[in-house]
């Protein structure tokens, strides 16, 4: 018997789930799945933050270890009862000429999401017909559309209306609390892959020389983040507690875990410069 | 059979080595900056920026980059970027980024501070 749910992670500020070192154009790139290039936030990152929060809330040790597993030096004693998956990107905020920004989604990202939504028994709207080349599917009357076109970044796409997009907007807005209404756009997979690669936020950062108050030599680097408003999701499972003397059924473990999700969380790196402020919601 | 990356790496290495012999500081600066410029402004815009910088080291960098990708020079590449259909534009952007990353790497390695 286990308890499962999908968590939605809504980035309130740019989210930097880094890989530590890049050798490409960007010095500090974000973590991406190797084959698909989809950005993700490692489950360990989310789990660690929640474990830390449990300590702040002064859980007793036995409960903390039962839910999250023992400290590293005693790791072999028993497993934790909670399993936190990697949070994968669902909606990417993209610059739009109308509506301030658009929430871009591709058929493949949606397929990935539906797989996990099905696992937790969420009932979702139907899947819209995939867009053709150079096409963008929007909800009827969407504010992204002007004169039959949708303008994203520097791409002009032919708009097609589909009521199912409206249903998804309503469903996602209700489940996640993110401003999805009137903003959702379904793009061809190839185009989505391109945006995932190039539409993330890249910031130049410098270190000043104390003596001169100008940039220190060689102290310029580029950091990549998922833009603010990005929306990710992850699967969380709770099992019964494996800790001797602290038996709990899966439901109790999950109830404890849920209690940690109140308020904003700081996820990923660069927290001291304001990255990674996120809101987490349980989507059923 | 060699990988695309190997091809570009070898050609970029030769170009940067030749430019380093002339000790072009401007060339290096552009090589470091250009990949991010493409990501932030888009390919056509970034190439137009190179063209706007006169005939100096920045232009030379643009020519080298275009030639590594098998184009005649910066003008030809910029024109192709302006005229390309969407999917071709996306692919060209990817190729330019990948080649530009080799330029950045070798500029850091071969050019003096």
């Amino acid at each position: 018997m286990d308890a499962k749910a999908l968590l939605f992670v809504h980035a309130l500020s740019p989210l930097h789930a880094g890989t530590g070192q890049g050798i490409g154009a960007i010095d500090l790139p974000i973590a991406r799945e190797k084959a698909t290039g989809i950005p993700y936030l490692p489950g360990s990152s989310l789990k660690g933050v929640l474990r830390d929060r449990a300590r702040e809330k002064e859980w007793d040790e036995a409960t903390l270890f039962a839910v999250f597993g023992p400290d590293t030096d005693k790791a072999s004693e028993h497993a934790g009862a909670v399993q936190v998956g990697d949070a994968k990107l669902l909606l990417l905020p993209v610059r739009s000429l109308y509506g301030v920004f658009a929430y871009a989604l591709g058929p493949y990202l949606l397929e990935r999401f539906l797989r996990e939504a099905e696992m937790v028994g969420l009932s979702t709207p139907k899947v819209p017909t995939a867009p053709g080349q150079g096409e963008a599917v929007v909800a009827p009357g969407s504010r992204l559309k002007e004169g039959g076109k949708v303008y994203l970044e520097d791409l002009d796409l032919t708009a097609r209306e589909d009521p199912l997009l409206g249903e998804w907007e309503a469903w996602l807005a209700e489940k996640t609390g993110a401003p999805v209404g009137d903003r959702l756009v379904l793009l061809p997979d190839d185009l989505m892959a391109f945006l995932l690669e190039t539409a993330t936020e890249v910031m130049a950062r410098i270190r000043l020389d104390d003596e001169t108050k100008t940039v220190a030599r060689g102290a310029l680097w580029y950091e990549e983040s998922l833009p603010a408003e990005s929306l990710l999701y992850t699967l969380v499972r709770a099992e019964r507690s494996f800790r001797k003397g602290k038996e709990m059924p899966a439901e109790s473990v999950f109830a404890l875990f849920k209690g940690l999700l109140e308020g904003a969380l700081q996820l990923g790196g660069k927290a001291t410069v304001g990255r990674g402020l996120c809101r987490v919601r349980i989507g059923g | 059979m060699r990988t695309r990356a190997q091809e570009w790496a070898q050609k970029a290495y030769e170009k940067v080595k030749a430019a380093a012999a002339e000790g072009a500081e401007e060339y290096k600066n552009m090589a470091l900056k250009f990949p991010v410029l493409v990501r932030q402004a888009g390919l056509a815009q970034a190439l137009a920026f190179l063209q706007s910088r006169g005939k100096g080291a920045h232009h030379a960098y643009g020519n080298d980059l275009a030639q590594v990708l098998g184009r005649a020079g910066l003008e030809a590449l910029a024109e192709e970027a302006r005229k390309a259909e969407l999917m071709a534009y996306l692919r060209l952007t990817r190729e330019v980024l990948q080649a530009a990353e080799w330029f950045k790497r070798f500029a850091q390695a071969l050019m003096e501070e």
Side-chain angles (χ1 to χ4, degrees), chain A residues 50-62:
Chain A
L50 291 169
R51 185 190 178 105
D52 198 43
R53 182 167 272 201
R55 276 204 194 278
E56 277 169 28
K57 288 194 178 241
E58 297 179 356
W59 284 20
D60 61 273
E61 279 229 313

Side-chain angles (χ1 to χ4, degrees), chain A residues 101-124:
Chain A
F101 74 95
Y103 266 130
L105 173 70
Y108 176 66
L109 285 178
L110 189 58
E111 187 186 321
R112 289 281 297 260
F113 172 72
L114 286 168
R115 263 184 241 164
E116 300 198 7
E118 205 171 298
M119 281 183 201
V120 300
L122 272 178
S123 58
T124 57

Side-chain angles (χ1 to χ4, degrees), chain A residues 22-27 32 95 133-134 153-157 190-191 193-194 196-204 217-218 222 224, chain B residues 25 32-45 85-87 89-91 93-94 97-98 101-102 104-105 108 112-113:
Chain A
I23 54 159
I26 293 161
D27 304 290
R32 294 167 181 271
R95 208 157 38 113
Q133 216 181 73
E153 294 279 342
D154 56 353
L155 307 163
D156 304 355
L157 304 156
D190 290 345
L191 191 55
F194 179 76
L196 286 176
E197 213 172 300
T198 58
T200 53
E201 204 152 315
V202 178
M203 280 163 268
R217 207 165 178 74
Y222 292 104
E224 185 179 24
Chain B
E25 192 184 342
L32 298 192
K33 206 161 57 173
F34 190 71
V36 172
L37 208 61
V38 173
R39 293 181 53 117
Q40 285 176 333
L43 177 66
Q45 183 73 269
E85 278 300 309
L86 187 59
M87 286 324 288
Y89 184 72
L90 302 193
R91 185 172 162 190
T93 303
R94 279 206 180 118
L97 273 173
Q98 284 168 7
E101 282 173 13
W102 283 113
K104 177 178 175 176
R105 193 65 46 236
Q108 281 172 323
E112 292 296 315
E113 268 297 331

Side-chain angles (χ1 to χ4, degrees), chain B:
Chain B
M1 163 105 190
R2 297 156 77 210
T3 65
R4 262 198 318 270
Q6 281 176 300
E7 300 272 352
W8 290 336
Q10 183 55 36
K11 288 177 182 160
Y13 179 81
E14 285 157 14
K15 296 280 187 199
V16 176
K17 210 169 161 67
E22 294 156 32
E25 192 184 342
E26 279 195 343
Y27 188 100
K28 179 179 178 173
N29 286 344
M30 187 47 77
L32 298 192
K33 206 161 57 173
F34 190 71
V36 172
L37 208 61
V38 173
R39 293 181 53 117
Q40 285 176 333
L43 177 66
Q45 183 73 269
L47 290 170
F49 174 75
L50 279 186
Q51 285 180 295
S52 74
R53 309 287 285 179
K55 288 282 174 204
H58 291 167
H59 200 271
Y61 166 81
N63 272 335
D64 285 355
L65 184 66
Q67 282 158 14
V68 163
L69 292 167
R71 310 305 195 274
L74 176 59
E75 274 64 33
L77 183 63
E79 187 180 0
E80 190 178 339
R82 285 195 304 271
K83 290 183 175 168
E85 278 300 309
L86 187 59
M87 286 324 288
Y89 184 72
L90 302 193
R91 185 172 162 190
L92 194 59
T93 303
R94 279 206 180 118
E95 289 186 354
V96 167
L97 273 173
Q98 284 168 7
E101 282 173 13
W102 283 113
F103 274 86
K104 177 178 175 176
R105 193 65 46 236
F106 291 132
Q108 281 172 323
L110 304 173
M111 290 177 152
E112 292 296 315
E113 268 297 331

Side-chain angles (χ1 to χ4, degrees), chain A residues 128-203:
Chain A
T129 316
Q133 216 181 73
E135 208 177 41
V137 188
V138 292
S142 169
R143 66 175 130 177
L144 302 176
K145 197 175 80 119
E146 185 62 42
K149 289 262 184 201
V150 172
Y151 303 91
L152 303 177
E153 294 279 342
D154 56 353
L155 307 163
D156 304 355
L157 304 156
T158 313
R160 172 159 65 83
E161 292 188 341
D162 185 340
L164 282 175
L165 264 277
E167 287 180 36
W168 272 102
E169 278 178 357
W171 190 88
L172 285 165
E174 189 236 327
K175 290 275 186 249
T176 66
V180 190
D182 248 2
R183 283 223 168 83
L184 194 60
V185 58
L186 186 69
L187 300 174
D189 275 330
D190 290 345
L191 191 55
M192 194 64 217
F194 179 76
L195 288 173
L196 286 176
E197 213 172 300
T198 58
T200 53
E201 204 152 315
V202 178
M203 280 163 268

